[in-house]
Amino acid sequence: MKTIGIGIQDFAKIADKNMFYIDKTAFLKEWWENQDSVTLITRPRRFGKTLLMSMTDYFFSVNHSDCKKYFEGLDIWKEEKFRELQGTYPVIFMSFADIKGSTYEKTRMGIIHKITKLYTDFEFLKRTGVLSGRDLEFYDSVSVDMGDDVAGIAIQYMCDYLRRYYGKNALVLLDEYDTPLQEAYVNDYWKELADFIRSLFNSTFKTNPYLERGLLTGITRVSKESIFSDLNNLEVVTTTSEKYSTSFGFTEKEVFQVLENNGLSSEKENIRYWYDGFSFGKRKDIYNPWSITKYLDTGEYGTYWADTSGNVLVSNLIRQSPAKIKSEMEDLLQGRTICTDLDEQVIFEQLGRKRGAIWSLLLASGYLKVDRYEMDNRTGKRQYYLKITNHETMLMFEKMIEDWFSEEDSAYGNFKDALIAGDLDYMNQFMNQVALQTFSSFDTGNKPSEEQEPERFYHGFVLGLIVDLAEKYRITSNRESGFGRYDVVMEPLKENLDAIVMEFKVQNMKKEKSLEQTVENALRQIDEKEYDTELLARGIKKERIRHYGFAFRGKEVLIGTEG
């Protein structure tokens, strides 16, 4: 087995030390022959974007004209015309991956430092005679104190300086372009940063006559209106696109070949269960390279890829989402698919309001995959069927939901114990405590009415049950739109446990004089609609099935049972 270099993203370093590497140089040929002026490729985090950009830099940059040895024996070296291209273009290679400021000022300064370093790296140009006196004045004005007007045009001007010296337009490579934008959304300075980035990108990629090719990578396709306004020469490649479908991540063939080479053929099915499932275009057999390399390094299975991010944005979006989103999360956690339309232009301003925007973000981030899609022949619109990507991402979602309730002290755990034990007094005491503590946590922030709050809360509450009690019960829910009916059936997986049927109802103030009456109506509905039928069919005796009615009035809860 070759040495596994964990976290090494420099192409030359991997080649120099003969480390484990799967050849992705076919990307260089595909990208160059497509002849797109500016290409934006979105892929989930830890999918080899930075290593691929490093490879592109080493292949094309005049600064690496002595690096032919790194490409000999790889796919790109099979064609003479590409061998002649190596090391022949001026290249500007930047990364925004580490720009994660909590304020606009910190993030802007992070970008300013990147541009300033770029000018420092090419300072030899000042001594070549290709720059005029005014050029030299501008060059020296690029500093940490420069204004937005200078920063906005600095990369375009550098492309001009490089063209004069080398006689060729420059390639501009920008890795993880959207990292600061995601931080801006989370930390509430989106508009300020979007204005700054828009000016920088338009000058660099739209109105730049000294640009040969542009290549950007990121996780999300931020909406064109936000930062790419009027950039008509932009080719966007998302996870549903066919281009470059095998350039990022490992195909199953590549993974299985590595396993065979290292005497691990017996692990193929486990590897597939844990880490397969990512799909790019029509390719359904893509594995995330981070988890594969970590497995090869440690010989153990784990949530390696899922643990590389705090997932704060994803957690907040789902936790504070409307009930419809939470009910679809229930389906996903049960291994089912959800059907939705997608807008792969992620409009951050819509993430908290538009249903499709959340699923689009989760798909782009790699947490969901396209199981299949159907097209309406009349409208041409696609409906996508999505599901959780694989076992590793399923565990990530479960951990995320567990964390929602672990923040609320022991009340939720005590309620679950009381529910299983059948202690009604304890259940009422702690359910009211949980409701008071967590209603606000599942609030969308739009001041919903008291009639809406229980629905939001209980969908999140049931998600918690599905995750925390999965080893003891098979939990299913059968809901209708609104909060008129939402029954939960808990089928025991162990013989010493009772089955549980729960019905949730908000008090109808016109028809029900008290919460006690609402509880009675909930219990009556369980009987009248014969919710026990499936449990009885599975051989569970009637006396081993408990019924609970949950009644709401605002944040007040009353739980009752029969008899």
Side-chain angles (χ1 to χ4, degrees):
M1 179 182 289
K2 289 190 175 183
T3 301
I4 305 296
I6 301 299
I8 297 177
Q9 299 174 317
D10 184 279
F11 179 76
K13 185 177 291 187
I14 289 175
D16 273 333
K17 296 186 178 181
N18 196 27
M19 292 180 173
F20 169 74
Y21 174 71
I22 289 182
D23 185 359
K24 295 295 179 181
T25 58
F27 165 82
L28 299 168
K29 180 177 186 293
E30 184 179 359
W31 178 59
W32 197 254
E33 291 184 342
N34 280 333
Q35 298 188 11
D36 297 315
S37 177
V38 182
T39 306
L40 166 61
I41 303 176
T42 65
R43 290 293 184 266
R45 57 187 165 78
R46 301 287 185 174
F47 257 78
K49 296 188 294 293
T50 301
L51 178 57
L52 184 134
M53 292 288 261
S54 173
M55 174 191 75
T56 304
D57 178 39
Y58 275 101
F59 185 78
F60 287 105
S61 175
V62 293
N63 292 339
H64 302 305
S65 58
D66 59 345
C67 292
K68 290 179 171 58
K69 60 182 179 180
Y70 298 141
F71 297 94
E72 293 172 357
L74 300 179
D75 284 345
I76 193 63
W77 218 245
K78 295 175 182 177
E79 296 188 42
E80 184 177 351
K81 67 176 181 179
F82 283 97
R83 293 199 295 270
E84 294 174 353
L85 267 179
Q86 197 279 321
T88 60
Y89 276 88
V91 174
I92 294 173
F93 180 22
M94 302 176 70
S95 173
F96 285 175
D98 57 348
I99 300 179
K100 300 179 179 180
S102 58
T103 65
Y104 168 67
E105 290 74 20
K106 290 179 180 178
T107 293
R108 178 189 177 278
M109 186 53 65
I111 297 173
I112 294 296
H113 279 297
K114 297 283 184 182
I115 296 173
T116 303
K117 185 179 185 306
L118 172 68
Y119 270 64
T120 301
D121 290 344
F122 287 107
E123 197 156 9
F124 75 90
L125 291 170
K126 294 168 67 175
R127 302 185 296 274
T128 62
V130 300
L131 304 185
S132 68
R134 287 193 174 183
D135 293 327
L136 291 171
E137 286 181 15
F138 180 84
Y139 206 110
D140 291 336
S141 72
V142 175
S143 68
V144 294
D145 299 321
M146 64 182 159
D148 289 358
D149 55 339
V150 173
I153 59 176
I155 298 177
Q156 181 188 125
Y157 276 34
M158 178 54 72
C159 290
D160 179 23
Y161 303 156
L162 292 170
R163 177 195 60 82
R164 294 187 214 173
Y165 182 73
Y166 289 108
K168 283 186 174 183
N169 283 348
L171 307 182
V172 177
L173 313 178
L174 179 55
D175 189 33
E176 303 291 0
Y177 86 100
D178 59 336
T179 296
L181 291 162
Q182 290 201 40
E183 294 296 319
Y185 174 76
V186 172
N187 292 290
D188 200 26
Y189 57 89
W190 166 262
K191 186 179 185 306
E192 295 169 286
L193 185 63
D195 289 343
F196 178 73
I197 294 283
R198 184 186 306 113
S199 173
L200 176 65
F201 281 12
N202 279 357
S203 171
T204 303
F205 298 110
K206 175 192 171 187
T207 61
N208 187 354
Y210 318 113
L211 177 71
E212 180 67 26
R213 302 274 181 93
L215 178 62
L216 300 90
T217 64
I219 295 174
T220 55
R221 174 189 177 179
V222 177
S223 69
K224 185 174 181 179
E225 291 71 25
S226 295
I227 60 170
F228 294 116
S229 58
D230 301 323
L231 194 61
N232 297 323
N233 60 339
L234 180 67
E235 171 69 5
V236 180
V237 180
T238 65
T239 57
T240 62
S241 306
E242 293 302 317
K243 286 185 176 181
Y244 316 116
S245 61
T246 62
S247 297
F248 300 83
F250 299 159
T251 65
E252 185 165 272
K253 180 180 179 181
E254 291 168 339
V255 172
F256 282 8
Q257 186 62 58
V258 171
L259 294 176
E260 289 175 8
N261 292 347
N262 293 283
L264 295 169
S265 296
S266 61
E267 297 298 320
K268 287 181 180 179
E269 287 306 313
N270 282 332
I271 287 286
R272 179 185 284 142
Y273 173 66
W274 271 82
Y275 303 124
D276 183 22
F278 296 91
S279 60
F280 301 146
K282 294 178 182 176
R283 293 299 298 248
K284 303 289 186 182
D285 63 336
I286 304 296
Y287 291 68
N288 83 73
W290 182 258
S291 291
I292 296 300
T293 53
K294 288 288 286 185
Y295 170 77
L296 292 172
D297 185 48
T298 65
E300 297 179 354
Y301 294 97
T303 53
Y304 300 116
W305 176 77
D307 291 342
T308 58
S309 171
N311 303 310
V312 173
L313 174 59
V314 172
S315 179
N316 288 345
L317 285 171
I318 296 175
R319 180 172 183 156
Q320 298 174 5
S321 65
K324 174 65 174 173
I325 299 295
K326 291 193 180 73
S327 67
E328 289 174 315
M329 272 305 304
E330 292 174 33
D331 288 331
L332 290 170
L333 286 168
Q334 302 282 17
R336 295 190 287 268
T337 61
I338 61 168
C339 179
T340 184
D341 56 350
L342 293 175
D343 181 357
E344 291 191 274
Q345 290 192 84
V346 174
I347 303 173
F348 279 90
E349 300 96 312
Q350 294 182 351
L351 281 176
R353 306 190 304 272
K354 189 176 178 183
R355 171 175 169 263
I358 295 177
W359 302 132
S360 296
L361 176 65
L362 292 179
L363 177 65
S365 302
Y367 301 130
L368 300 180
K369 64 180 178 181
V370 175
D371 188 58
R372 67 184 192 280
Y373 67 85
E374 297 173 356
M375 181 177 288
D376 187 315
N377 289 329
R378 186 183 67 82
T379 64
K381 291 183 178 180
R382 291 182 176 185
Q383 286 288 304
Y384 289 88
Y385 291 83
L386 308 178
K387 66 189 306 184
I388 291 177
T389 305
N390 53 33
H391 183 59
E392 181 183 18
T393 48
M394 179 70 80
L395 293 178
M396 184 221 60
F397 277 116
E398 291 177 355
K399 175 66 165 56
M400 181 182 73
I401 292 166
E402 286 175 353
D403 289 345
W404 293 350
F405 291 96
S406 64
E407 299 168 8
E408 316 294 347
D409 78 18
S410 62
Y412 178 61
N414 288 333
F415 171 79
K416 288 184 298 179
D417 293 340
L419 175 65
I420 294 173
D423 189 334
L424 192 61
D425 290 338
Y426 213 53
M427 287 169 63
N428 271 289
Q429 175 188 345
F430 280 101
M431 177 47 65
N432 277 278
Q433 185 179 343
V434 169
L436 284 171
Q437 290 175 332
T438 60
F439 264 133
S440 59
S441 300
F442 292 100
D443 193 326
T444 62
N446 297 323
K447 301 298 181 185
S449 68
E450 289 189 346
E451 287 74 18
Q452 292 173 310
E453 278 186 306
E455 186 176 3
R456 289 187 174 91
F457 167 70
Y458 258 97
H459 279 278
F461 172 74
V462 173
L463 283 173
L465 290 179
I466 289 172
V467 168
D468 290 341
L469 297 178
E471 294 182 359
K472 296 180 179 179
Y473 292 91
R474 180 181 294 109
I475 300 173
T476 57
S477 59
N478 184 15
R479 62 263 171 180
E480 292 178 351
S481 60
F483 204 58
R485 178 165 69 87
Y486 192 107
D487 55 290
V488 174
V489 177
M490 299 173 57
E491 178 188 346
L493 300 176
K494 300 179 180 179
E495 291 185 1
N496 63 329
L497 296 173
D498 289 346
I500 298 172
V501 180
M502 295 184 282
E503 177 66 25
F504 308 146
K505 277 188 175 297
V506 174
Q507 182 182 357
N508 185 329
M509 303 300 287
K510 295 180 180 179
K511 299 180 180 179
E512 298 164 344
K513 297 180 179 179
S514 65
L515 284 178
E516 286 79 5
Q517 191 173 353
T518 306
V519 168
E520 291 175 6
N521 288 339
L523 293 170
R524 183 180 303 112
Q525 185 167 316
I526 293 174
D527 288 331
E528 290 177 352
K529 299 210 171 181
E530 300 180 340
Y531 293 165
D532 292 353
T533 301
E534 190 169 342
L535 293 171
L536 294 170
R538 292 179 181 271
I540 299 174
K541 296 181 179 179
K542 184 72 175 176
E543 58 269 21
R544 296 299 302 276
I545 303 175
R546 284 189 262 139
H547 295 170
Y548 292 109
F550 287 66
F552 289 92
R553 181 171 56 229
K555 295 183 180 181
E556 185 180 355
V557 185
L558 180 65
I559 308 169
T561 189
E562 296 168 325

